[in-house]
Amino acid sequence: MKAISILGSTGSIGCNTLKVVEHLGDVRVVAMAAGRNTEKFVEQIERFSPELVACGDEECAVFLEKAVAKLDKKPRIECGESGLVAVATHPQAETVVSATVGAVGFIPTLRAIEAGKRIALANKETLVMAGELMTAAAASSGAEIVPVDSEHNAIHQCLRGERAGEVRRLILTASGGPFRTWTKERIAAATRKEALDHPNWKMGEKITIDSATLMNKGLEVIEAKWLFGFDADRISVIVHPQSVVHSMIEMIDGSVIAQLGVPDMRHAIQYAITFPVRQEASCGRLDLAAVGKLEFEDPDIERFPCLGLAFEALAAGGTMPAVLNAANEVSVQAFLDGKIGFDHIGETNRRVMREHTPTPADTLAAVLAADTWARERAIMAIGPAAAGTSGKN
Amino acid sequence: MKAISILGSTGSIGCNTLKVVEHLGDVRVVAMAAGRNTEKFVEQIERFSPELVACGDEECAVFLEKAVAKLDKKPRIECGESGLVAVATHPQAETVVSATVGAVGFIPTLRAIEAGKRIALANKETLVMAGELMTAAAASSGAEIVPVDSEHNAIHQCLRGERAGEVRRLILTASGGPFRTWTKERIAAATRKEALDHPNWKMGEKITIDSATLMNKGLEVIEAKWLFGFDADRISVIVHPQSVVHSMIEMIDGSVIAQLGVPDMRHAIQYAITFPVRQEASCGRLDLAAVGKLEFEDPDIERFPCLGLAFEALAAGGTMPAVLNAANEVSVQAFLDGKIGFDHIGETNRRVMREHTPTPADTLAAVLAADTWARERAIMAIGPAAAGTSGKN
C-alpha cells in the first residue's frame, strides 16, 4: 500500500486528491496539512485517519485538538511552517501532493524534494519562484516531480517514450478564461464575480483569477521551463476554449503529440500518484463526438498583458519570475478584496517588475528576499487610495 | 548509410518515399519495383541508381532494358512476382517500403517479413488478407512492422512509452471522405469524378474510392487488429473531417493520447524509415491556430455500409477479411471502369461475404484460395449486365 501526504488538503486539489485516494483503494494518507478551513479539515481527519496533521496557526491547532479528542486514532498536531515541513517530510510518505496555493508551499515542497519524495506538484509557485533551486535539489536527491497541473501533466504524458533531443517545442493550451472574447475596455472593468466565472474548470479563487488574466498560463510557461528544461523560445501557448486538449508537444519531424481528456483534475492527480503505472479512473471518459469541435487561436498579449510579462520575466531570469509571482499574489488579492480593478492586476505586476533588477535566484535567501521585496512594492503600488476604484460586486 | 527497397515506387507512397529519401540524404535505394508506369520508373532509376529493379511483365522488362542501356550504372532487371520478391528480399535492404496497391504486394511483403526486414507498411491488403500469417512470420523472424498509413502510424507514435495492458482502445480517425455530408440517395448516384475528389489527401485511385466508401477505414480497423493486437471491440472509428488528428489511443485512466500533423504522407514514411529516431522533416509544420477548429462526429454505418462490413468480417474471422478485401478490389475497379454505381461497391462486397463460409486463414493456400474465390464471385455478382448502369462521367 502506497503512502502519501498532502499539503493543502482542504483546497480544490486537496479534496480531489482525497477522492482519488478513495477511488484507488490502495493508497493511505499518512499526513496532511490545511489552512483555515478547519471544519472540513476535521471531517477529512476523521475519514482518512492520518498520523500527522498540520494547520495554519496555534489557534487552529487548539480547535483541532478539541475536535479530534473524540477520535479513536488521534493524529499528532503541528502548526505553521514547521508543521507543513513535518507533513512534507513524513518518513512514511513516498509521495507528497503539494497543493497549497501561493508561496506558503515553497519551503515545505523544497524540503520534500530534498528528502527524495515523489512530488505530485500542484503548487506552481514552487517552480516559478525557485525553479533553479528546486530542480537542482531534485537532481541531487533523486526526487521525481510529476506535475498535477493539467497542462504540465499532459506534457509529461506526451513526453513518455520520446527522446528529449527530438522535441522541438512544448505547446501549452489555455482556455482563454472568461474574457477570451471580450474587448480590452470591457476586460478592464470586469467584476470579481465575472472573473471568478471560469468556463471549464472549478478551481480555487486565486488560480481562477490567474486564468482570467492568463497570468496562470504565464506562470505555467515559467514552470514548464524548469519541469522539462525548455527555454522560453521553445514553449508556445495556444488558446483552446474547450480545454479538451490539455497540452501538446511538437517533435522535430513535425509530429504533434497531444494529451486529451475530460476537464477533471482527478485525472492528473491520479496519474501523478500512480505513475509510471496507469490505473482505471473514477472520472468520466472523453466523448469527442459529443464535444463536436475543438477550437484553437493564438493568444492576444495586448488584451492579456500578464502572459507577456511572464515571458519577459523568464527572459530576464534570476529573481524576476519570483518577483512577478509575488507581485501577482498581492495584486490578485487586492482585486479579490475589491481594492483594485481587473486591469490593475497586470499594471501592478508590470510596475513592480520595472522597479526590479534581477539577481541570481540560486539561494533560498535571494528568492525569499525578492519575494518579500516584491510584495512590499506591490502593496505600495496599489496603495490605500486605490481602494474601491472598481472590481467590486 | 541506411539501405531500403521499395515495392511500388511509382505510386503515390512510392514517389513520396523517394522525396523522403532525397530529404534525409543518408538513405540509399538498393532495389525498387513498379507496375506499368515505366516512363516514371525510368526517371526514378536514373535518379536513384538502384542495383535491382522489377516491373510487371516481360514487355515492361524489355522496355526497361532499352531505357537503361545508356546508363553508367545499369540495374539488374526482373519481372513478375519473382521480381517483386527479389526486390523485397534484397540482401542489402534493411527496410522494405511495401507500397504496392492491392493483393499483388501480399507475397513479396510476406517474404520480406520472413527475411527479417523492417517493413514500412503501406500495403494494407497484406494484413487484411493474412494478418495471422504475417504477424506470426514477424514474430518468428523478428521483423518489425512500422505502418505508413497515417492512422496506424499515429497509433504507433501514441503507443511509444505506454504499456500495452494500459491501453483501453484505439481510436482511428476518418476524414469521412467527399460524401460525409451527403444523403444516402445522393451517395448512391455519385460519379467517378466525385468519388475521386478527396477533401484532404492526394492518393491513388483505389484508396481514394475506399476513402469515399469508408471501406478504407474498415480495412484499417482490420489492419489495426493485427498491427497492435486489439480485438474489434477495442477499436473505434471517429469521423474528423480536417484530418489533422491522425489517430488516438485511450488509456484505462481516461487519458487520450493523439498524434496530429499536416496531411502529408511523407511524415509517416519518414517516421517508418527512421524509427525509433526522429529526424527533421521536409514537410510543413502544423499551425493549429490557422486550422482554427477540429471537428468530430460518429460514423454513419447506414450511409457507409462498407465500414460495418469490415467489423462483420473481423468478427467472422478466418478468411472473411480476405474475402471482403478481394471483393472490394473487384467492385472498386468495376466502379472506376464505369461498370457499376457507387452504392453497388458495398452491395457487391456484402453479397460475396454472404456467400462465403470462413475457414481458418492460417496457411498461404487458404488465404489465396479465398482471395481467388472472392474475386470470381464478385465478378459474377457484378455481371456484364451491370455495365454502364451508373457511375460514369
Side-chain angles (χ1 to χ4, degrees):
Chain A
M1 190 170 241
K2 248 182 200 134
I4 69 168
S5 68
I6 306 172
L7 298 170
S9 67
T10 56
S12 174
I13 297 280
C15 291
N16 276 299
T17 300
L18 291 173
K19 283 184 197 164
V20 168
V21 166
E22 285 186 319
H23 164 70
L24 289 175
D26 61 348
V27 176
R28 193 164 54 101
V29 183
V30 290
M32 50 195 200
R36 283 174 194 80
N37 192 345
T38 35
E39 274 182 44
K40 190 188 273 186
F41 198 28
V42 169
E43 282 171 33
Q44 293 178 339
I45 294 167
E46 288 182 18
R47 188 168 190 103
F48 293 92
S49 307
E51 294 172 3
L52 168 69
V53 300
C55 58
D57 53 34
E58 281 293 344
E59 192 185 333
C60 291
V62 170
F63 177 90
L64 279 186
E65 286 285 2
K66 281 181 200 155
V68 304
K70 63 177 191 293
L71 298 182
D72 287 341
K73 204 182 154 196
K74 290 178 210 39
R76 183 156 56 92
I77 297 170
E78 302 206 12
C79 66
E81 189 175 280
S82 64
L84 281 169
V85 169
V87 168
T89 57
H90 190 287
Q92 285 174 39
E94 297 147 67
T95 295
V96 176
V97 179
S98 173
T100 50
V101 173
V104 69
F106 177 58
I107 290 173
T109 303
L110 179 58
R111 297 294 171 245
I113 291 173
E114 287 167 347
K117 308 289 190 191
R118 153 85 58 90
I119 312 294
L121 187 66
N123 173 286
K124 63 186 53 168
E125 288 78 5
T126 307
L127 289 176
V128 170
M129 287 175 68
E132 196 178 337
L133 265 174
M134 297 288 172
T135 48
S140 163
S141 71
E144 202 171 18
I145 301 176
V146 182
V148 165
D149 243 3
S150 67
E151 293 80 359
H152 300 106
N153 187 268
I155 287 173
H156 193 277
Q157 294 190 43
C158 292
L159 289 170
R160 292 171 75 131
E162 300 293 349
R163 296 152 191 242
E166 294 174 2
V167 182
R168 180 183 285 146
R169 63 178 172 133
L170 312 179
I171 307 169
L172 296 170
T173 54
S175 73
F179 308 144
R180 181 175 64 88
T181 60
W182 290 28
T183 62
K184 196 177 174 182
E185 293 66 34
R186 200 174 157 208
I187 293 171
T191 65
R192 186 181 190 282
K193 185 158 176 286
E194 287 166 336
L196 286 174
D197 186 26
H198 193 277
N200 302 330
W201 295 92
K202 177 88 197 95
M203 303 177 291
E205 287 193 345
K206 160 70 165 55
I207 193 172
T208 304
I209 300 300
D210 283 346
S211 291
T213 61
L214 293 200
M215 184 76 253
N216 183 48
K217 208 52 51 181
L219 297 177
E220 284 174 12
V221 168
I222 298 170
E223 204 184 0
K225 176 203 161 77
W226 294 111
L227 275 170
F228 306 114
F230 282 70
D231 285 334
D233 62 349
R234 291 174 65 209
I235 305 173
S236 305
V237 171
I238 193 162
V239 174
H240 166 47
Q242 291 79 17
S243 295
V244 166
V245 176
H246 293 162
S247 275
M248 300 173 263
I249 61 174
E250 185 190 349
M251 308 304 298
I252 56 168
D253 64 0
S255 188
V256 172
I257 307 293
Q259 190 267 335
L260 296 74
V262 293
D264 188 317
M265 283 178 282
R266 286 175 293 170
H267 171 73
I269 294 167
Q270 177 173 316
Y271 177 88
I273 292 173
T274 66
F275 174 81
V277 169
R278 292 182 187 267
Q279 287 181 235
E280 289 281 347
S282 59
C283 47
R285 290 169 63 180
L286 179 63
D287 181 346
L288 267 180
V291 172
K293 74 177 172 196
L294 305 177
E295 292 165 302
F296 299 90
E297 61 193 45
D298 286 322
D300 182 354
I301 306 287
E302 174 72 21
R303 287 184 301 136
F304 300 98
C306 284
L307 179 58
L309 292 180
F311 277 97
E312 285 176 36
L314 202 51
T319 48
M320 194 59 98
V323 162
L324 172 59
N325 176 65
N328 186 62
E329 280 200 32
V330 172
S331 59
V332 168
Q333 193 55 54
F335 170 74
L336 285 170
D337 293 344
K339 289 182 186 162
I340 59 173
F342 187 80
D343 57 334
H344 291 157
I345 297 172
E347 282 172 31
T348 304
N349 297 349
R350 186 188 302 275
R351 272 180 69 180
V352 176
M353 276 178 66
R354 292 284 172 275
E355 290 175 24
H356 184 66
T357 307
T359 56
D362 51 2
T363 67
L364 197 53
V367 170
L368 294 178
D371 178 82
T372 305
W373 176 88
R375 282 170 202 276
E376 285 165 4
R377 303 305 284 188
I379 289 165
M380 282 172 57
I382 290 163
T389 47
S390 72
K392 280 194 176 169
N393 45 290
Chain B
M1 188 170 242
K2 249 184 200 129
I4 69 167
S5 67
I6 305 173
L7 297 171
S9 66
T10 57
S12 174
I13 296 281
C15 291
N16 277 299
T17 300
L18 291 172
K19 283 185 196 162
V20 168
V21 166
E22 285 186 319
H23 164 69
L24 289 174
D26 62 348
V27 175
R28 194 165 53 99
V29 182
V30 291
M32 51 194 199
R36 285 173 192 81
N37 193 344
T38 36
E39 275 183 43
K40 189 188 272 184
F41 197 30
V42 169
E43 284 172 31
Q44 292 178 340
I45 293 167
E46 288 182 17
R47 188 169 191 104
F48 293 92
S49 305
E51 295 172 3
L52 169 69
V53 301
C55 58
D57 53 34
E58 282 292 343
E59 192 185 334
C60 292
V62 171
F63 178 91
L64 279 184
E65 286 286 1
K66 282 182 200 158
V68 304
K70 62 178 192 290
L71 299 181
D72 288 341
K73 204 185 154 197
K74 289 177 209 43
R76 182 158 55 93
I77 298 171
E78 302 205 11
C79 67
E81 188 176 279
S82 64
L84 281 168
V85 169
V87 168
T89 57
H90 190 286
Q92 285 174 40
E94 298 147 66
T95 296
V96 176
V97 179
S98 172
T100 51
V101 172
V104 68
F106 177 57
I107 289 173
T109 304
L110 178 60
R111 297 293 171 246
I113 291 173
E114 287 167 349
K117 309 289 190 190
R118 153 86 60 90
I119 312 294
L121 186 66
N123 173 285
K124 64 186 53 167
E125 288 78 5
T126 307
L127 290 176
V128 170
M129 286 175 69
E132 193 178 338
L133 265 173
M134 297 288 173
T135 49
S140 163
S141 71
E144 203 171 18
I145 301 175
V146 182
V148 164
D149 243 1
S150 67
E151 293 80 358
H152 300 106
N153 187 268
I155 287 173
H156 193 277
Q157 294 189 43
C158 292
L159 288 171
R160 294 171 74 129
E162 300 294 348
R163 297 153 190 240
E166 293 174 3
V167 182
R168 180 183 284 146
R169 63 178 174 135
L170 312 179
I171 308 169
L172 296 169
T173 54
S175 72
F179 307 144
R180 181 176 63 88
T181 59
W182 290 27
T183 61
K184 197 176 174 184
E185 292 66 35
R186 200 174 157 208
I187 293 171
T191 66
R192 187 180 189 280
K193 185 159 177 285
E194 287 166 335
L196 286 173
D197 186 26
H198 193 276
N200 303 329
W201 296 91
K202 176 90 196 93
M203 304 178 291
E205 287 193 346
K206 160 71 165 56
I207 194 172
T208 303
I209 300 300
D210 283 346
S211 291
T213 61
L214 294 200
M215 184 75 253
N216 183 48
K217 208 53 50 182
L219 296 177
E220 284 174 14
V221 168
I222 299 170
E223 206 183 357
K225 176 205 162 76
W226 294 109
L227 275 170
F228 306 113
F230 282 70
D231 284 335
D233 60 349
R234 291 174 64 209
I235 305 173
S236 305
V237 171
I238 193 162
V239 173
H240 165 48
Q242 290 80 17
S243 294
V244 166
V245 176
H246 293 161
S247 276
M248 302 173 261
I249 60 173
E250 184 190 347
M251 309 303 298
I252 55 168
D253 64 359
S255 189
V256 172
I257 307 293
Q259 190 268 335
L260 295 74
V262 293
D264 188 318
M265 282 178 283
R266 287 175 293 170
H267 170 73
I269 294 167
Q270 177 173 312
Y271 177 89
I273 292 173
T274 66
F275 175 80
V277 170
R278 292 182 187 268
Q279 287 181 236
E280 288 281 346
S282 59
C283 48
R285 288 169 63 180
L286 179 63
D287 181 347
L288 267 181
V291 172
K293 74 176 174 198
L294 305 177
E295 293 164 302
F296 299 90
E297 60 193 45
D298 286 320
D300 181 354
I301 306 285
E302 174 72 20
R303 286 184 301 136
F304 299 99
C306 284
L307 180 58
L309 292 181
F311 278 97
E312 285 176 36
L314 202 51
T319 49
M320 194 60 96
V323 162
L324 171 58
N325 175 66
N328 186 61
E329 278 200 34
V330 172
S331 58
V332 168
Q333 192 55 53
F335 171 73
L336 286 169
D337 293 345
K339 289 183 187 162
I340 58 172
F342 187 80
D343 57 335
H344 291 157
I345 298 173
E347 282 172 31
T348 304
N349 297 349
R350 186 188 302 276
R351 272 180 69 179
V352 176
M353 276 178 66
R354 291 284 172 278
E355 291 175 22
H356 184 66
T357 306
T359 56
D362 52 1
T363 68
L364 197 53
V367 170
L368 295 178
D371 178 83
T372 304
W373 177 88
R375 283 170 203 275
E376 284 166 5
R377 303 306 283 187
I379 290 165
M380 281 173 56
I382 290 163
T389 47
S390 72
K392 279 194 177 169
N393 45 293

